[in-house]
Amino acid sequence: RGNPMRIALYQCPPLPLNIGGNLQRLEQQAHDAAAQGADLLVCPEMFLTGYNIGAEAARALAQPNDGFAAGDIAAIAKAHGIAILYGYPELSADEQVYNSIQLIDSHGQTLCNYRKTHLYGELDKAMFRPGEDRFPIIELNGWRLGFLICYDVEFPENTRRLALAGAELILVPTANMAPYDFVADITIRARAYENQCFVAYANYCGSEGDIHYCGLSSLCAPDGSRLALAAQDESLIIGNLDRQLMEQSRSINTYFNDRRPGFYAGLSED
């Protein structure tokens, strides 16, 4: 289990309502990330279609998790030998639309599909149904991965439950906008530190309708450092997961040994 893992985060302006254009961009980024030795490429929330697109478009563009886009992305992953995590509007078997992310490995196999559980504001609530209580932990390249989407990470309970379930890396595609830069800047580092795991946060930049995205995508380490950090512009940032760094940090920051869960039982009450 000693293998390092190299992670690429693609920060970009949304390309709304253009699945073909986004698949094209993804192909290019997968090529570039793989050329730099990345094992995994993480894209923003709703990358396939754009995020601020309204309920009608979200439904019209929604796809089943094994739809044509998943097939195209599996082919891209396989061609470049890189795992890909991307956001998209998911059409479920019972015709509901979810804000979902899917992880496809470097052999083109789907490893995980996760639906956003905590919907943000009218924007999300108009477009999506909230995901059910399903927080999978998936193994990739010898690392245990958990998944959240944007607003999900702003609830400390979500990252904590993943860390307690053994997540060593939490992947968070996001569409975080001004004035919530604090989340990208501070909260993500705090989540990595308080849970002694890596957190990858892939955000948009630029604008979409009246939304201005704040960029600041990052790969944060258990010691609170940022192994990769984007500014406000389109960029592909890359950082390495280092198991030794994690173990060293965990030996100093012993939160999981020192917790007193009996005191917190009431936190799950309404």
Side-chain angles (χ1 to χ4, degrees), residues 3-238:
N3 37 346
M5 182 155 65
R6 198 158 161 78
I7 298 190
L9 305 178
Y10 180 38
Q11 174 173 294
C12 56
L15 190 55
L17 313 180
N18 187 348
I19 290 178
N22 284 313
L23 288 170
Q24 229 172 336
R25 292 204 291 179
L26 185 58
E27 170 93 60
Q28 183 62 52
Q29 297 304 319
H31 170 275
D32 294 353
Q36 296 179 64
D39 302 296
L40 169 64
L41 170 63
V42 184
C43 299
E45 178 178 11
M46 290 280 284
F47 172 75
L48 195 61
T49 58
Y51 171 65
N52 186 24
I53 58 174
E56 211 174 308
R59 177 164 287 280
L61 296 174
Q63 304 220 338
N65 70 333
D66 59 355
F68 80 82
D72 288 354
I73 292 168
I76 292 170
K78 212 169 162 177
H80 299 289
I82 189 170
I84 296 172
L85 181 71
Y86 66 98
Y88 73 109
E90 180 191 356
L91 187 67
S92 64
D94 61 352
E95 300 285 304
Q96 299 294 333
V97 180
Y98 292 93
N99 181 336
S100 296
I101 53 178
Q102 181 145 271
L103 175 66
I104 294 177
D105 74 12
S106 59
H107 308 292
Q109 299 297 309
T110 294
L111 296 187
C112 180
N113 190 75
Y114 166 79
R115 296 168 173 172
K116 188 175 189 177
T117 50
H118 293 61
L119 299 183
Y120 170 74
E122 281 319 301
L123 192 60
D124 260 355
K125 288 169 187 159
M127 288 193 279
F128 310 113
R129 192 190 175 99
E132 51 289 313
D133 182 1
R134 187 173 165 270
F135 291 82
I137 302 284
I138 299 295
E139 187 149 319
L140 181 70
N141 295 27
W143 289 82
R144 290 193 297 269
L145 277 48
F147 306 85
L148 295 171
I149 301 173
C150 198
Y151 195 46
D152 289 340
V153 80
E154 297 179 40
F155 296 82
E157 298 86 352
N158 287 333
T159 31
R160 179 50 54 94
R161 77 182 285 173
L162 289 171
L164 289 173
E168 297 163 322
L169 166 65
I170 298 174
L171 298 169
V172 191
T174 190
N176 187 24
M177 68 283 288
Y180 307 112
D181 310 52
F182 179 90
V183 175
D185 194 23
I186 306 293
T187 307
I188 299 307
R189 292 171 73 187
R191 292 287 175 267
Y193 190 84
E194 72 199 2
N195 291 295
Q196 289 301 298
C197 65
F198 294 90
V199 179
Y201 189 75
N203 196 15
Y204 284 123
C205 56
S207 295
E208 189 182 23
D210 54 0
I211 288 181
H212 299 281
Y213 294 106
C214 63
L216 301 174
S217 298
S218 65
L219 176 62
C220 296
D223 63 358
S225 64
R226 290 193 275 212
L227 306 175
L229 175 64
Q232 304 286 340
D233 305 320
E234 181 165 353
S235 52
L236 183 72
I237 60 169
I238 298 186

